[in-house]
Amino acid sequence: MICVMDQVFHISTEKYSYLLRINRHGLPEHLHFGAPIQMEDHLALACKPGLGWGGSIILDEKDPASCPDIMPLEFSGNGRGDYRESSIEIDGKAVDFRFVSSRIFKGIPPMTQGLPQAKDGEETLEIVLEQPGSRLKLYYTAFDTVLTRRAVLENTGDAPLQLHKLMSFCVDIFGDFEMTSFHGNWIAEMRPHKQAVTGGRVVNESSTGFSSFRHQPGFLLSEPCATEEFGQVYGFNLVYSGNHYSSCQQSFQGLTRVMMGINPSNFVKVLEPGDVFETPEAVLTWSDWGFNGVSSNFHRFINHHIVPEYWRFKERPVLFNSWEGCMFNFTHSRLVDLAKRAKKLGCELFVLDDGWFGKRDNDLAGLGDYNVNMKKLPYGLKGLADKINELGMQFGLWFEPEAVNPDSDLYRTHPDWALTDDHPDLCGRHELLLDLTKPEVRDYIVENVSRVLDSANISYVKWDMNRHSIALGAKAHDYILGLYDVLGRIFVPRPHILLESCSSGGNRFDLGMLCYSPQVWCSDDTDPIERLTIQGGLSYLYPQSTFGAHVSAAPHAQTLRATPLTTRGNVSFFGCLGYELDLKHLLGVEEKEVIAQAAFYKAHRMAFQFGDFRRVNSRGGVCWQVTGENVTLAGLFHKLESAAPGYEKLRLVGLDQQKRYHVISRAQKLRIGVFGNLVKHIAPVDVDPNGALLRTVDHHVMLDDSAEELTASGAALHSGVMLHNRFAGTGYDKQQRTQGDFGSNVYVVTEAE
Ligand code: DGJ
């Protein structure tokens, strides 16, 4: 709800209040963002600057406290006495916008320049500010768990304006905070970094042209005492896939200025008289239930208001992807064989990855040429898709439409379509990007991708992009607008196609892409121990329904780490489960485990994909919890085993303290091979632990791992219930969890009868 009283504006939901007012100088002043409060509280919440501060500019000689430098503002000016970082730069001149009017809209006024935006907001507040020659509109939209903000600048004068910087929002919040941002690289996305926000500016920005795995746009600000479960935390993110910029800095008076928007570095946009420029939408949220509270607010918002309507709360299929198993090396019959195996294991969607078109037998050539390789696929895509459908599976296809290899017919015909930025030979993965700012390039992509999609029964698309840097400046923004145009023209008319966006893994995991693709491929790193960091990091900002999470072969291709198949499955359950390995080489015992995994996942799919996700503090391991309609599932994951491990509890949060719950572990099996030389001591005859006999037994026989079963109250589960102890070198028994390095279990928790 949005209420106005004497130029005080109160945006409130059950979860939060956001309060601002227009002060006596016509500047929008921030009063409160946090716990739900009452409109009448505005005077109590306002800063009381007394007689002002020395060393400041004064707006009104009669008011010694009218120093812009110490006001908590909703958007800054520039060069007029507010010495903190400015959220706007025009023509290198002073900027001094003052209040003119306000309006409240039902719903959300639509974006006009092609940026994606959250849908189904309740109400929007528009604050209009002016200075000679330009008008600035600030928009605030209330959603139940978050608030979105954006800004629109209009040239109302008669000369062109050069816009160098326009943040989506700026706000001055009182308090001491730590900023958690997420940094990384290829196969190592989403490493959290926490730093104190003090007098020096803390910046989180990307300048590669994309949101980038180097610096994820979303970030958090927390009170120093905040934990996963308690304390005040703010969360911020941007509905945008291009260069982003955020900064936090604490003023001497204890106000922390936070801003977020398009990266101003190298950015310039010329606005002719009458032109407008609109920023991407920023998302702001607050919780005093710690980091989990903020994550839950983001998750709810994304599942309800960001992903395309068709896919909201729609179960995602268990998929098989051909990439890690085949790479470029496949034929129709090899794919059909894989599909049969995948179907038997429980997969529902078969995805053909890279290598199906042009001369694409490696990554050196063919991008841009969307003619099917008839040597590999003599029955064409339709022949393959029909066959897969006949097997009872859906069919999906990989594309990389934004890129072109210099060795391609497309590049030879239209070298000027590539975005070379005067450096024609600067390739990344042997590719250049197509210049999506050109309408003819966008038409080429839309026509070709649409033609292929309509040529066969295709239910899923993986939209890849592997060239990590594009032209600088305003062109980078126009490229992103071009990308959104192309995605909208292809997929809005085909809403049933499940789009999974990918950029060498998670190089473009952002809210802009999620407006088109309900899923994003988190990382090319499918090692489950790495995924604890990657999916764990993403979980702060994004719901598990948006994570593509696959089981692949071990030892892992990127880390050479050997992990149990059980753990590979258990980690992938906390996302959209898929398999990506050569199924021909699965042992009989592994097939049985995969069949069990897929069946277990499907039985709890709604909870795994859309349940309320929590990171639970756990002694010695990583614990993730999801709570669906009638069930809570908890994954407890260990990294390196230690000798004689101590007791361990399973803690669950948010359950009804008074109710009783039944807890049972997922039935897991143990390979005989985990016992290595120890088998010698229990076998009736002398066996060679590395010999053929034990290898054969290991490939065919499995032992039961410990089965945990108990009942406990929600209160006991909150404090933690004791689990069977782990293997401690004293023997094998079902009362003991035999995990070794990288072991894990999933626990199913339901209300006791
Ligand atoms: C990069 C992606 O991240 C991979 O999953 C795979 O699709 C390859 N591209 C294909 O070239």
Side-chain angles (χ1 to χ4, degrees):
M1 192 176 25
I2 304 182
C3 300
V4 195
M5 191 181 75
D6 298 334
Q7 299 196 342
V8 179
F9 304 90
H10 185 200
I11 304 163
S12 64
T13 71
E14 271 179 26
K15 293 267 180 189
Y16 69 86
S17 275
Y18 193 102
L19 199 66
L20 63 139
R21 73 175 178 194
I22 305 303
N23 70 17
R24 72 179 79 151
H25 311 287
L27 295 171
E29 194 176 298
H30 179 73
L31 298 177
H32 170 80
F33 181 27
I37 45 100
Q38 294 166 358
M39 174 68 111
E40 292 67 31
D41 292 329
H42 69 97
L43 285 175
L45 290 163
C47 282
K48 318 256 178 334
L51 295 177
W53 287 63
S56 292
I57 292 283
I58 292 191
L59 292 178
D60 177 356
E61 280 302 324
K62 291 188 215 101
D63 177 1
S66 60
C67 324
D69 201 23
I70 59 168
M71 291 174 184
L73 294 175
E74 286 285 310
F75 214 79
S76 79
N78 199 334
R80 296 296 302 267
D82 180 356
Y83 302 118
R84 297 164 290 185
E85 181 180 1
S86 174
S87 46
I88 184 163
E89 290 174 15
I90 308 174
D91 281 335
K93 292 187 182 149
V95 176
D96 190 3
F97 282 105
R98 303 293 174 109
F99 178 77
V100 180
S101 63
S102 68
R103 265 200 294 181
I104 292 170
F105 296 88
K106 273 263 150 277
I108 318 176
M111 295 275 206
T112 58
Q113 297 180 334
L115 285 165
Q117 106 189 95
K119 290 145 220 107
D120 307 327
E122 291 156 24
E123 281 179 312
T124 301
L125 166 67
E126 179 192 70
I127 304 269
V128 184
L129 310 165
E130 278 185 0
Q131 68 171 8
S134 51
R135 180 177 299 131
L136 181 67
K137 292 180 180 167
L138 306 180
Y139 290 98
Y140 301 74
T141 301
F143 294 86
D144 52 356
T145 59
V146 310
L147 168 84
T148 63
R149 284 191 57 182
R150 62 192 178 96
V152 176
L153 182 74
E154 183 181 352
N155 181 349
T156 52
D158 46 20
L161 293 180
Q162 282 208 344
L163 178 64
H164 293 272
K165 178 177 184 182
L166 183 62
M167 292 288 99
S168 295
F169 82 88
C170 168
V171 68
D172 295 321
I173 305 173
F174 180 77
D176 295 327
F177 298 108
E178 291 172 338
M179 180 197 207
T180 303
S181 48
F182 300 87
H183 307 275
N185 215 306
W186 178 63
I187 65 169
E189 294 87 343
M190 294 303 287
R191 266 78 178 128
H193 287 250
K194 198 185 252 191
Q195 49 198 320
V197 177
T198 55
R201 198 180 295 168
V202 185
V203 169
N204 179 46
E205 62 176 333
S206 99
S207 55
T208 62
F210 302 103
S211 48
S212 176
F213 41 43
R214 289 169 172 82
H215 311 285
Q216 154 67 222
F219 71 96
L220 309 160
L221 270 190
S222 52
E223 311 184 292
C225 63
T227 65
E228 290 290 2
E229 287 159 43
F230 302 105
Q232 296 205 68
V233 184
Y234 292 91
F236 304 92
N237 209 340
L238 201 59
V239 188
Y240 190 55
S241 311
N243 290 332
H244 59 86
Y245 176 88
S246 301
S247 73
C248 302
Q249 186 172 21
Q250 196 183 43
S251 75
F252 198 76
Q253 290 74 21
L255 297 171
T256 293
R257 173 158 291 186
V258 189
M259 65 178 73
M260 183 176 222
I262 295 176
N263 195 328
S265 168
N266 285 308
F267 178 84
V268 62
K269 195 87 191 166
V270 176
L271 299 189
E272 298 296 337
D275 280 359
V276 296
F277 181 81
E278 62 185 10
T279 69
E281 199 170 37
V283 183
L284 296 76
T285 188
W286 167 90
S287 174
D288 56 0
W289 288 101
F291 290 95
N292 278 327
V294 149
S295 301
S296 161
N297 288 351
F298 273 136
H299 293 190
R300 199 179 149 76
F301 168 69
I302 293 168
N303 278 328
H304 280 89
H305 302 284
I306 288 285
V307 297
E309 205 175 336
Y310 185 92
W311 288 100
R312 284 185 206 158
F313 298 98
K314 195 168 254 149
E315 289 188 342
R316 310 292 159 69
V318 176
L319 69 78
F320 172 82
N321 179 296
S322 67
W323 179 244
E324 289 201 18
C326 303
M327 303 248 154
F328 297 97
N329 182 15
F330 55 80
T331 58
H332 174 91
S333 55
R334 184 169 179 206
L335 296 175
V336 172
D337 175 62
L338 277 170
K340 284 183 183 157
R341 291 172 191 274
K343 170 73 187 167
K344 193 176 123 202
L345 299 177
C347 296
E348 299 156 312
L349 163 69
F350 182 90
V351 178
L352 174 55
D353 208 280
D354 199 351
W356 60 268
F357 55 75
K359 288 205 205 100
R360 199 127 171 95
D361 294 325
N362 49 46
D363 59 8
L364 296 170
L367 279 182
D369 303 336
Y370 290 102
N371 45 323
V372 179
N373 182 328
M374 298 303 274
K375 247 188 169 157
K376 290 183 188 172
L377 302 175
Y379 309 104
L381 281 178
K382 177 155 171 47
L384 181 63
D386 286 351
K387 186 73 205 169
I388 306 276
N389 290 164
E390 256 173 47
L391 295 173
M393 297 175 88
Q394 297 177 316
F395 178 66
L397 199 57
W398 175 96
F399 288 88
E400 191 175 345
E402 297 161 70
V404 64
N405 285 121
D407 184 3
S408 66
D409 292 340
L410 181 67
Y411 186 76
R412 281 182 280 275
T413 321
H414 295 290
D416 56 314
W417 282 12
L419 194 57
T420 53
D421 203 24
D422 300 329
H423 295 290
D425 20 341
L426 273 189
C427 285
R429 207 193 182 205
H430 321 290
E431 31 182 277
L432 296 165
L433 282 179
L434 290 169
D435 187 348
L436 266 60
T437 68
K438 290 187 166 136
E440 61 276 26
V441 174
R442 298 202 296 272
D443 291 348
Y444 174 85
I445 296 176
V446 172
E447 277 157 28
N448 278 279
V449 176
S450 303
R451 174 178 54 75
V452 175
L453 292 182
D454 297 339
S455 72
N457 188 17
I458 296 172
S459 319
Y460 162 105
V461 165
K462 179 172 172 187
W463 183 288
D464 203 350
M465 193 284 287
N466 295 293
R467 170 69 156 83
H468 290 185
S469 163
I470 55 169
L472 298 168
K475 189 144 191 178
H477 178 61
D478 292 341
Y479 178 98
I480 295 296
L481 292 181
L483 170 64
Y484 293 144
D485 173 56
V486 164
L487 289 171
R489 281 160 66 193
I490 297 173
F491 294 104
V492 171
R494 298 173 183 82
H496 61 283
I497 294 184
L498 174 58
L499 179 61
E500 177 156 353
S501 124
C502 165
S503 177
S504 307
N507 190 43
R508 219 162 44 183
F509 207 122
D510 60 66
L511 294 176
M513 292 309 286
L514 285 173
C515 287
Y516 300 91
S517 70
Q519 277 176 219
V520 184
W521 181 224
C522 306
S523 175
D524 280 350
D525 192 339
T526 43
D527 175 323
I529 302 307
E530 298 299 312
R531 283 284 178 137
L532 291 177
T533 307
I534 297 166
Q535 292 175 212
L538 284 168
S539 74
Y540 283 91
L541 307 166
Y542 304 99
Q544 52 302 356
S545 64
T546 63
F547 307 169
H550 298 179
V551 172
S552 63
H556 191 261
Q558 268 99 31
T559 57
L560 303 180
R561 185 184 282 135
T563 52
L565 183 53
T566 43
T567 294
R568 282 177 267 159
N570 290 344
V571 173
S572 302
F573 290 161
F574 291 82
C576 299
L577 176 67
Y579 289 84
E580 190 165 342
L581 67 169
D582 193 346
L583 300 178
K584 199 170 67 208
H585 302 308
L586 278 187
L587 301 170
V589 285
E590 292 177 320
E591 280 184 359
K592 279 191 195 142
E593 166 63 13
V594 173
I595 290 172
Q597 287 180 358
F600 177 79
Y601 181 77
K602 286 180 197 167
H604 300 295
R605 180 164 22 198
M606 277 310 277
F608 276 127
Q609 295 180 351
F610 300 102
D612 201 2
F613 183 97
R614 288 189 169 99
R615 296 164 299 273
V616 185
N617 292 332
S618 150
R619 181 174 181 265
V622 172
C623 183
W624 292 341
Q625 174 189 324
V626 288
T627 299
E629 221 169 293
N630 301 312
V631 68
T632 287
L633 299 140
L636 187 54
F637 308 99
H638 295 106
K639 295 185 181 172
L640 291 182
E641 188 54 288
S642 55
Y647 289 125
E648 191 174 12
K649 280 183 163 186
L650 174 69
R651 275 195 73 223
L652 296 172
V653 293
L655 299 180
D656 187 328
Q657 305 268 315
Q658 308 305 325
K659 284 190 178 154
R660 291 200 70 75
Y661 293 89
H662 177 241
V663 181
I664 184 164
S665 56
R666 179 173 88 86
Q668 287 187 178
K669 298 277 183 188
L670 282 172
R671 294 274 296 273
I672 300 267
V674 299
F675 294 100
N677 281 309
L678 291 177
V679 177
K680 261 169 68 80
H681 304 306
I682 50 162
V685 289
D686 186 20
V687 284
D688 173 1
N690 299 313
L693 176 63
L694 260 190
R695 259 205 322 272
T696 313
V697 174
D698 181 44
H699 291 181
H700 291 93
V701 183
M702 287 192 291
L703 297 172
D704 286 333
D705 195 0
S706 107
E708 205 88 49
E709 189 160 7
L710 52 93
T711 51
S713 65
L717 285 162
H718 189 99
S719 94
V721 293
M722 204 56 97
L723 294 174
H724 288 153
N725 205 14
R726 303 215 296 273
F727 178 80
T730 47
Y732 158 77
D733 186 273
K734 284 192 219 158
Q735 299 301 306
Q736 170 173 273
R737 289 176 297 144
T738 306
Q739 301 218 317
D741 287 349
F742 319 122
S744 66
N745 272 106
V746 171
Y747 300 87
V748 183
V749 185
T750 45
E751 263 183 52
E753 303 282 293

mmCIF file of all heavy atoms in Angstrom, residues 592-617:
data_model
loop_
_atom_site.group_PDB
_atom_site.id
_atom_site.type_symbol
_atom_site.label_atom_id
_atom_site.label_comp_id
_atom_site.label_asym_id
_atom_site.label_seq_id
_atom_site.Cartn_x
_atom_site.Cartn_y
_atom_site.Cartn_z
ATOM 1 N N LYS A 592 21.466 -48.099 -10.848
ATOM 2 C CA LYS A 592 20.440 -48.264 -9.794
ATOM 3 C C LYS A 592 20.357 -47.000 -8.934
ATOM 4 O O LYS A 592 19.276 -46.555 -8.565
ATOM 5 C CB LYS A 592 20.800 -49.457 -8.894
ATOM 6 C CG LYS A 592 20.391 -50.766 -9.499
ATOM 7 C CD LYS A 592 20.513 -51.866 -8.452
ATOM 8 C CE LYS A 592 20.467 -53.210 -9.147
ATOM 9 N NZ LYS A 592 21.358 -54.196 -8.578
ATOM 10 N N GLU A 593 21.512 -46.426 -8.608
ATOM 11 C CA GLU A 593 21.533 -45.220 -7.773
ATOM 12 C C GLU A 593 20.864 -44.057 -8.521
ATOM 13 O O GLU A 593 20.080 -43.306 -7.940
ATOM 14 C CB GLU A 593 22.976 -44.869 -7.378
ATOM 15 C CG GLU A 593 23.208 -43.477 -6.804
ATOM 16 C CD GLU A 593 22.483 -43.187 -5.478
ATOM 17 O OE1 GLU A 593 21.983 -44.114 -4.832
ATOM 18 O OE2 GLU A 593 22.407 -41.978 -5.122
ATOM 19 N N VAL A 594 21.153 -43.923 -9.828
ATOM 20 C CA VAL A 594 20.546 -42.817 -10.581
ATOM 21 C C VAL A 594 19.030 -43.007 -10.662
ATOM 22 O O VAL A 594 18.264 -42.044 -10.499
ATOM 23 C CB VAL A 594 21.185 -42.693 -11.985
ATOM 24 C CG1 VAL A 594 20.436 -41.660 -12.818
ATOM 25 C CG2 VAL A 594 22.653 -42.295 -11.869
ATOM 26 N N ILE A 595 18.601 -44.230 -10.902
ATOM 27 C CA ILE A 595 17.145 -44.485 -10.962
ATOM 28 C C ILE A 595 16.502 -44.064 -9.628
ATOM 29 O O ILE A 595 15.470 -43.389 -9.596
ATOM 30 C CB ILE A 595 16.870 -45.980 -11.274
ATOM 31 C CG1 ILE A 595 17.271 -46.270 -12.727
ATOM 32 C CG2 ILE A 595 15.404 -46.333 -11.028
ATOM 33 C CD1 ILE A 595 17.246 -47.737 -13.123
ATOM 34 N N ALA A 596 17.173 -44.428 -8.528
ATOM 35 C CA ALA A 596 16.636 -44.070 -7.204
ATOM 36 C C ALA A 596 16.643 -42.550 -7.017
ATOM 37 O O ALA A 596 15.684 -41.968 -6.480
ATOM 38 C CB ALA A 596 17.464 -44.743 -6.109
ATOM 39 N N GLN A 597 17.705 -41.890 -7.467
ATOM 40 C CA GLN A 597 17.792 -40.423 -7.322
ATOM 41 C C GLN A 597 16.654 -39.738 -8.079
ATOM 42 O O GLN A 597 15.965 -38.866 -7.540
ATOM 43 C CB GLN A 597 19.126 -39.917 -7.889
ATOM 44 C CG GLN A 597 20.332 -40.229 -7.042
ATOM 45 C CD GLN A 597 21.623 -39.712 -7.656
ATOM 46 O OE1 GLN A 597 21.639 -39.138 -8.743
ATOM 47 N NE2 GLN A 597 22.730 -39.928 -6.957
ATOM 48 N N ALA A 598 16.484 -40.128 -9.353
ATOM 49 C CA ALA A 598 15.473 -39.441 -10.181
ATOM 50 C C ALA A 598 14.084 -39.646 -9.579
ATOM 51 O O ALA A 598 13.270 -38.704 -9.535
ATOM 52 C CB ALA A 598 15.545 -39.936 -11.618
ATOM 53 N N ALA A 599 13.824 -40.871 -9.092
ATOM 54 C CA ALA A 599 12.492 -41.146 -8.523
ATOM 55 C C ALA A 599 12.289 -40.327 -7.240
ATOM 56 O O ALA A 599 11.219 -39.738 -7.021
ATOM 57 C CB ALA A 599 12.361 -42.636 -8.232
ATOM 58 N N PHE A 600 13.314 -40.262 -6.400
ATOM 59 C CA PHE A 600 13.228 -39.510 -5.141
ATOM 60 C C PHE A 600 12.989 -38.021 -5.436
ATOM 61 O O PHE A 600 12.141 -37.366 -4.834
ATOM 62 C CB PHE A 600 14.534 -39.698 -4.359
ATOM 63 C CG PHE A 600 14.596 -38.924 -3.079
ATOM 64 C CD1 PHE A 600 13.945 -39.378 -1.943
ATOM 65 C CD2 PHE A 600 15.320 -37.739 -3.015
ATOM 66 C CE1 PHE A 600 14.010 -38.659 -0.751
ATOM 67 C CE2 PHE A 600 15.388 -37.012 -1.834
ATOM 68 C CZ PHE A 600 14.730 -37.472 -0.694
ATOM 69 N N TYR A 601 13.754 -37.510 -6.400
ATOM 70 C CA TYR A 601 13.644 -36.087 -6.754
ATOM 71 C C TYR A 601 12.232 -35.768 -7.252
ATOM 72 O O TYR A 601 11.621 -34.785 -6.832
ATOM 73 C CB TYR A 601 14.683 -35.758 -7.826
ATOM 74 C CG TYR A 601 14.687 -34.311 -8.251
ATOM 75 C CD1 TYR A 601 15.261 -33.335 -7.442
ATOM 76 C CD2 TYR A 601 14.121 -33.909 -9.468
ATOM 77 C CE1 TYR A 601 15.273 -32.002 -7.834
ATOM 78 C CE2 TYR A 601 14.140 -32.589 -9.860
ATOM 79 C CZ TYR A 601 14.716 -31.637 -9.044
ATOM 80 O OH TYR A 601 14.729 -30.324 -9.420
ATOM 81 N N LYS A 602 11.726 -36.647 -8.151
ATOM 82 C CA LYS A 602 10.393 -36.372 -8.706
ATOM 83 C C LYS A 602 9.333 -36.389 -7.601
ATOM 84 O O LYS A 602 8.395 -35.590 -7.631
ATOM 85 C CB LYS A 602 10.054 -37.408 -9.776
ATOM 86 C CG LYS A 602 10.823 -37.190 -11.072
ATOM 87 C CD LYS A 602 10.420 -38.274 -12.062
ATOM 88 C CE LYS A 602 11.412 -38.379 -13.192
ATOM 89 N NZ LYS A 602 11.197 -39.607 -13.965
ATOM 90 N N ALA A 603 9.514 -37.294 -6.627
ATOM 91 C CA ALA A 603 8.529 -37.375 -5.544
ATOM 92 C C ALA A 603 8.501 -36.080 -4.723
ATOM 93 O O ALA A 603 7.487 -35.739 -4.116
ATOM 94 C CB ALA A 603 8.849 -38.563 -4.644
ATOM 95 N N HIS A 604 9.616 -35.350 -4.677
ATOM 96 C CA HIS A 604 9.695 -34.133 -3.841
ATOM 97 C C HIS A 604 10.029 -32.903 -4.679
ATOM 98 O O HIS A 604 10.553 -31.921 -4.165
ATOM 99 C CB HIS A 604 10.771 -34.323 -2.765
ATOM 100 C CG HIS A 604 10.496 -35.472 -1.863
ATOM 101 N ND1 HIS A 604 9.419 -35.505 -1.017
ATOM 102 C CD2 HIS A 604 11.144 -36.650 -1.685
ATOM 103 C CE1 HIS A 604 9.411 -36.640 -0.342
ATOM 104 N NE2 HIS A 604 10.442 -37.359 -0.735
ATOM 105 N N ARG A 605 9.723 -32.980 -5.977
ATOM 106 C CA ARG A 605 10.210 -31.946 -6.903
ATOM 107 C C ARG A 605 9.716 -30.547 -6.557
ATOM 108 O O ARG A 605 10.472 -29.582 -6.598
ATOM 109 C CB ARG A 605 9.781 -32.334 -8.324
ATOM 110 C CG ARG A 605 10.216 -31.355 -9.354
ATOM 111 C CD ARG A 605 10.170 -31.843 -10.771
ATOM 112 N NE ARG A 605 9.325 -32.949 -11.130
ATOM 113 C CZ ARG A 605 9.493 -33.658 -12.258
ATOM 114 N NH1 ARG A 605 10.464 -33.335 -13.096
ATOM 115 N NH2 ARG A 605 8.689 -34.643 -12.570
ATOM 116 N N MET A 606 8.424 -30.414 -6.194
ATOM 117 C CA MET A 606 7.909 -29.061 -5.904
ATOM 118 C C MET A 606 8.680 -28.446 -4.734
ATOM 119 O O MET A 606 9.015 -27.266 -4.752
ATOM 120 C CB MET A 606 6.417 -29.106 -5.572
ATOM 121 C CG MET A 606 5.492 -29.131 -6.757
ATOM 122 S SD MET A 606 5.825 -27.870 -7.997
ATOM 123 C CE MET A 606 4.988 -26.433 -7.368
ATOM 124 N N ALA A 607 8.966 -29.276 -3.720
ATOM 125 C CA ALA A 607 9.687 -28.730 -2.551
ATOM 126 C C ALA A 607 11.118 -28.383 -2.936
ATOM 127 O O ALA A 607 11.638 -27.328 -2.549
ATOM 128 C CB ALA A 607 9.666 -29.730 -1.414
ATOM 129 N N PHE A 608 11.786 -29.258 -3.700
ATOM 130 C CA PHE A 608 13.175 -28.965 -4.067
ATOM 131 C C PHE A 608 13.273 -27.706 -4.935
ATOM 132 O O PHE A 608 14.172 -26.901 -4.780
ATOM 133 C CB PHE A 608 13.788 -30.145 -4.822
ATOM 134 C CG PHE A 608 14.333 -31.221 -3.920
ATOM 135 C CD1 PHE A 608 13.950 -32.546 -4.061
ATOM 136 C CD2 PHE A 608 15.250 -30.910 -2.920
ATOM 137 C CE1 PHE A 608 14.465 -33.541 -3.232
ATOM 138 C CE2 PHE A 608 15.768 -31.897 -2.081
ATOM 139 C CZ PHE A 608 15.375 -33.219 -2.242
ATOM 140 N N GLN A 609 12.325 -27.550 -5.878
ATOM 141 C CA GLN A 609 12.450 -26.426 -6.817
ATOM 142 C C GLN A 609 11.860 -25.124 -6.265
ATOM 143 O O GLN A 609 12.404 -24.051 -6.513
ATOM 144 C CB GLN A 609 11.784 -26.789 -8.150
ATOM 145 C CG GLN A 609 12.494 -27.950 -8.854
ATOM 146 C CD GLN A 609 11.877 -28.344 -10.188
ATOM 147 O OE1 GLN A 609 10.803 -27.868 -10.553
ATOM 148 N NE2 GLN A 609 12.550 -29.223 -10.904
ATOM 149 N N PHE A 610 10.744 -25.252 -5.531
ATOM 150 C CA PHE A 610 10.044 -24.018 -5.142
ATOM 151 C C PHE A 610 9.876 -23.846 -3.632
ATOM 152 O O PHE A 610 9.302 -22.856 -3.184
ATOM 153 C CB PHE A 610 8.658 -23.984 -5.809
ATOM 154 C CG PHE A 610 8.735 -24.007 -7.316
ATOM 155 C CD1 PHE A 610 8.486 -25.170 -8.026
ATOM 156 C CD2 PHE A 610 9.095 -22.874 -8.027
ATOM 157 C CE1 PHE A 610 8.574 -25.212 -9.410
ATOM 158 C CE2 PHE A 610 9.186 -22.895 -9.400
ATOM 159 C CZ PHE A 610 8.934 -24.068 -10.099
ATOM 160 N N GLY A 611 10.347 -24.824 -2.855
ATOM 161 C CA GLY A 611 10.181 -24.723 -1.402
ATOM 162 C C GLY A 611 10.996 -23.568 -0.822
ATOM 163 O O GLY A 611 11.882 -23.018 -1.462
ATOM 164 N N ASP A 612 10.681 -23.253 0.435
ATOM 165 C CA ASP A 612 11.375 -22.163 1.131
ATOM 166 C C ASP A 612 12.785 -22.652 1.499
ATOM 167 O O ASP A 612 12.932 -23.605 2.251
ATOM 168 C CB ASP A 612 10.552 -21.832 2.391
ATOM 169 C CG ASP A 612 10.851 -20.449 2.884
ATOM 170 O OD1 ASP A 612 11.651 -19.749 2.243
ATOM 171 O OD2 ASP A 612 10.301 -20.077 3.942
ATOM 172 N N PHE A 613 13.789 -22.001 0.956
ATOM 173 C CA PHE A 613 15.183 -22.466 1.098
ATOM 174 C C PHE A 613 15.861 -21.782 2.288
ATOM 175 O O PHE A 613 15.740 -20.576 2.470
ATOM 176 C CB PHE A 613 15.947 -22.124 -0.186
ATOM 177 C CG PHE A 613 17.374 -22.604 -0.209
ATOM 178 C CD1 PHE A 613 17.703 -23.791 -0.844
ATOM 179 C CD2 PHE A 613 18.387 -21.881 0.396
ATOM 180 C CE1 PHE A 613 19.011 -24.251 -0.866
ATOM 181 C CE2 PHE A 613 19.700 -22.332 0.397
ATOM 182 C CZ PHE A 613 20.012 -23.522 -0.244
ATOM 183 N N ARG A 614 16.614 -22.580 3.070
ATOM 184 C CA ARG A 614 17.382 -21.965 4.163
ATOM 185 C C ARG A 614 18.761 -22.594 4.252
ATOM 186 O O ARG A 614 18.911 -23.802 4.087
ATOM 187 C CB ARG A 614 16.674 -22.167 5.493
ATOM 188 C CG ARG A 614 15.430 -21.328 5.626
ATOM 189 C CD ARG A 614 14.921 -21.426 7.046
ATOM 190 N NE ARG A 614 13.895 -20.444 7.287
ATOM 191 C CZ ARG A 614 12.599 -20.706 7.260
ATOM 192 N NH1 ARG A 614 12.179 -21.916 6.973
ATOM 193 N NH2 ARG A 614 11.716 -19.764 7.520
ATOM 194 N N ARG A 615 19.740 -21.751 4.513
ATOM 195 C CA ARG A 615 21.082 -22.239 4.864
ATOM 196 C C ARG A 615 21.107 -22.377 6.389
ATOM 197 O O ARG A 615 20.803 -21.407 7.083
ATOM 198 C CB ARG A 615 22.162 -21.247 4.395
ATOM 199 C CG ARG A 615 22.219 -21.084 2.870
ATOM 200 C CD ARG A 615 22.990 -19.842 2.487
ATOM 201 N NE ARG A 615 22.360 -18.643 3.026
ATOM 202 C CZ ARG A 615 21.390 -17.956 2.430
ATOM 203 N NH1 ARG A 615 20.960 -18.317 1.242
ATOM 204 N NH2 ARG A 615 20.835 -16.892 3.003
ATOM 205 N N VAL A 616 21.418 -23.579 6.873
ATOM 206 C CA VAL A 616 21.337 -23.827 8.318
ATOM 207 C C VAL A 616 22.753 -24.004 8.863
ATOM 208 O O VAL A 616 23.538 -24.772 8.309
ATOM 209 C CB VAL A 616 20.520 -25.104 8.604
ATOM 210 C CG1 VAL A 616 20.332 -25.291 10.102
ATOM 211 C CG2 VAL A 616 19.165 -25.041 7.900
ATOM 212 N N ASN A 617 23.047 -23.287 9.936
ATOM 213 C CA ASN A 617 24.370 -23.454 10.548
ATOM 214 C C ASN A 617 24.496 -24.860 11.074
ATOM 215 O O ASN A 617 23.618 -25.355 11.772
ATOM 216 C CB ASN A 617 24.547 -22.472 11.715
ATOM 217 C CG ASN A 617 24.613 -21.057 11.201
ATOM 218 O OD1 ASN A 617 25.037 -20.825 10.065
ATOM 219 N ND2 ASN A 617 24.184 -20.115 12.017
#
